[in-house]
C-alpha cells in the first residue's frame, strides 16, 4: 500500500506532513510497521518522485530516517551529514527537494549522544572534521547555562548543545536561503526541529521549533 499517492501530496499541508512523521515514529517505537509493497512503489515512482518531507539529519548509523519515521521509498528526501549541519550543499539539497520535488516540510533532526556535537563540545578541530565542528560551535557558545565542566563528559551539557544545534542549523537555513524563506513566507512549506532519543527511539519536536509561518519568533529578523 502506497499511503500517500503522488497526486495527493501536492495538497498536503506542512502540518499534515509533520503529523505523518509523528505517527510513523509512534509506530516505530511500538515496533510495528505500515505494510509496504516496496517493489510496487518502485514501479509507481520510477518516472517521478514527490517526497513529502526533506530531512536534514545526522549520519549516525542509529538514526536512519526512513526507519525511525516508518516511511518507505519515495517518502523522504534524506540529507545526512554528521551533526546535521546546514552546510551550503545541504541547504542546496533542501532547496531542491522543496522547490522542485514539492516537499512540504523541512525537518532538522538532531539526536542524543551525537558524536559530532560531543566533538564540538570538546573544541575538536582536527582534519576535515573541523569543517563540521566549526558549524556547531555557535550552539556551544549559545549554551550559557552550564558554568563548569563544559565538555563531552557532561551529558546534560551535551544534551543542551544538541538541542541548541538544531536551532543553530535552522537559523543558518533561514538566513542563507532566499528560496526557502520565500516558500515559508508563502505558506508552502514549514520548518521544524526535532531531537531523536537513541534510548527511547522517540522523536521530540519542541513546540518552539515548529515554524509554519514567517511570523514565528525563531525566523524573524
Ligand atoms: Zn550524530
Amino acid at each position: 500500500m502506497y499511503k500517500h499517492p503522488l497526486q495527493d501530496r501536492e495538497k498536503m499541508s506542512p502540518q499534515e506532513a509533520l503529523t505523518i512523521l509523528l505517527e510513523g515514529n509512534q509506530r516505530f517505537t511500538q515496533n510495528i510497521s505500515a505494510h509496504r509493497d516496496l517493489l510496487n512503489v518502485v514501479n509507481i515512482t520510477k518516472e517521478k518522485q514527490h517526497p513529502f518531507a526533506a530531512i536534514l539529519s545526522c549520519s549516525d548509523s542509529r538514526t536512519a530516517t526512513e526507519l525511525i519515521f516508518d516511511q518507505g521509498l519515495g517518502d523522504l528526501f534524506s540529507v545526512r551529514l554528521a551533526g546535521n549541519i546546514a552546510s551550503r550543499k545541504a541547504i542546496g539539497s533542501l532547496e531542491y527537494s522543496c522547490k522542485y520535488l514539492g516537499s512540504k516540510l523541512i525537518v532538522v533532526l538532531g539526536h542524543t549522544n551525537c558524536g559530532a556535537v560531543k566533538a564540538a563540545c570538546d573544541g575538536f578541530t582536527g582534519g576535515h572534521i573541523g569543517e563540521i565542528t566549526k558549524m556547531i560551535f555557535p550552539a556551544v557558545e549559545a549554551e550559557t547555562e552550564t558554568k563548569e565542566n563544559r565538555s563531552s563528559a557532561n551529558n546534560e551539557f551535551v544534551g543542551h548543545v544538541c538541542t541548541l544545534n538544531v536551532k543553530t542549523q535552522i537559523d543558518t537555513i533561514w538566513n542563507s536561503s532566499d528560496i526557502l524563506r520565500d516558500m515559508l513566507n508563502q505558506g508552502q512549506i514549514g520548518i521544524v526541529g526535532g531531537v531523536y532519543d537513541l534510548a527511547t527511539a522517540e522523536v521530540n519536536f519542541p513546540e518552539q521549533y515548529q515554524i509554519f509561518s514567517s511570523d514565528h519568533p525563531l525566523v524573524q529578523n
Side-chain angles (χ1 to χ4, degrees):
M1 181 171 60
Y2 192 52
K3 277 220 155 215
H4 306 286
L6 297 181
Q7 62 269 27
D8 287 349
R9 293 188 175 200
E10 205 37 60
K11 297 178 224 150
M12 189 186 287
S13 72
Q15 287 91 341
E16 282 168 340
L18 178 60
T19 301
I20 292 166
L21 293 178
L22 282 166
E23 289 171 351
N25 180 242
Q26 203 169 23
R27 287 195 298 277
F28 181 63
T29 59
Q30 293 165 354
N31 208 19
I32 52 178
S33 178
H35 172 70
R36 289 186 178 83
D37 182 344
L38 288 178
L39 273 185
N40 185 40
V41 178
V42 169
N43 194 37
I44 291 169
T45 57
K46 65 188 173 199
E47 306 284 351
K48 187 172 186 280
Q49 61 169 325
H50 195 330
F52 68 85
I55 304 193
L56 173 59
S57 62
C58 185
S59 305
D60 191 294
S61 61
R62 299 162 292 182
T63 64
T65 35
E66 280 82 359
L67 295 177
I68 66 176
F69 289 116
D70 187 36
Q71 299 299 316
L73 293 172
D75 289 327
L76 305 178
F77 196 86
S78 194
V79 185
R80 295 181 65 182
L81 285 167
N84 40 277
I85 51 164
S87 69
R88 279 179 294 182
K89 292 182 178 74
I91 294 171
S93 299
L94 298 174
E95 288 178 346
Y96 174 64
S97 182
C98 292
K99 184 84 181 173
Y100 298 100
L101 301 178
S103 298
K104 303 297 180 185
L105 186 70
I106 291 175
V107 178
V108 177
L109 186 68
H111 68 96
T112 58
N113 205 17
C114 178
V117 168
K118 285 168 129 180
C121 288
D122 290 335
F124 185 84
T125 56
H128 291 297
I129 296 170
E131 299 293 317
I132 294 165
T133 51
K134 79 176 180 195
M135 293 194 68
I136 307 176
F137 287 155
V140 178
E141 283 164 28
E143 209 283 3
T144 52
E145 212 172 300
T146 307
K147 306 294 179 202
E148 290 173 8
N149 194 12
R150 293 174 61 86
S151 77
S152 64
N154 182 344
N155 289 337
E156 202 181 333
F157 175 60
V158 171
H160 292 167
V161 175
C162 169
T163 306
L164 287 166
N165 183 47
V166 169
K167 178 184 179 296
T168 297
Q169 305 312 322
I170 290 174
D171 286 345
T172 302
I173 293 167
W174 178 253
N175 289 325
S176 59
S177 174
D178 294 341
I179 288 176
L180 296 174
R181 258 200 321 270
D182 285 351
M183 292 187 81
L184 185 73
N185 284 335
Q186 290 167 30
Q188 295 168 341
I189 60 164
I191 305 176
V192 299
V195 176
Y196 175 68
D197 189 322
L198 288 180
T200 65
E202 280 174 21
V203 178
N204 177 36
F205 292 103
E207 218 161 289
Q208 70 270 26
Y209 291 180
Q210 297 182 23
I211 305 162
F212 291 113
S213 120
S214 51
D215 292 334
H216 194 285
L218 259 193
V219 294
Q220 288 196 338
N221 292 318

